[in-house]
Amino acid sequence: MVQTHQNRLTVLLANEQEDWHQTVRQLLQPQGVQTLSARSGREALQLIETRSIHVAVLDQAMPQLGGLQVIKLMRELRQAPPAILLANQLTTNLLHEALGMHVFSVLSKPVDFNVLLDTLARVLRRHYENRWPSEHRGERRGNGDEYQN
């Protein structure tokens, strides 16, 4: 999916199931991807506000704040990361609301991990121009070889 580099893509995994976090972490670590875990919407929002997050994977059904509520609040931030929403049921209303909030993708649960990996690769291509994101958002280095997130 991505190549190893000193700067790591950081993916927030916001889902209350610990075994899900561990499985996704084991899939992403060999790809050079760092993961952060949140088990509630409030915890996810706090991490988005205080850490450099490149992609947020948010469960629609989380305690305190659901995925769409987190996305709505994070859109008020200056530099919100692209979001992937996980949902038990893909209803027309949910898809319409997610589209209106510019959610990158909505995936049905249980999540097919190959689909999740493919979606993360598409986020990297679309939002980071196939260049590895790093700690400083929105800046390019002189040679143009690195995209600074």
Side-chain angles (χ1 to χ4, degrees), residues 14-81:
N15 182 310
E16 61 182 329
Q17 298 176 329
E18 177 59 34
D19 58 338
W20 185 85
H21 287 260
Q22 290 175 356
T23 301
V24 176
R25 186 176 299 116
Q26 289 171 351
L27 289 170
L28 295 177
Q29 255 181 341
Q31 303 297 324
V33 176
Q34 176 182 6
T35 60
L36 298 174
S37 296
R39 280 161 193 72
S40 72
R42 290 210 187 282
E43 187 180 353
L45 192 58
Q46 180 185 20
L47 286 169
I48 291 166
E49 290 172 341
T50 60
R51 302 286 300 266
S52 181
I53 306 288
H54 301 106
V55 183
V57 180
L58 304 163
D59 192 337
Q60 174 57 15
M62 284 187 292
Q64 298 174 352
L65 294 171
L68 278 179
Q69 292 170 304
V70 172
I71 291 166
K72 184 176 183 179
L73 292 169
M74 76 183 210
R75 293 293 174 223
E76 297 172 7
L77 302 174
R78 191 169 141 247
Q79 299 235 346

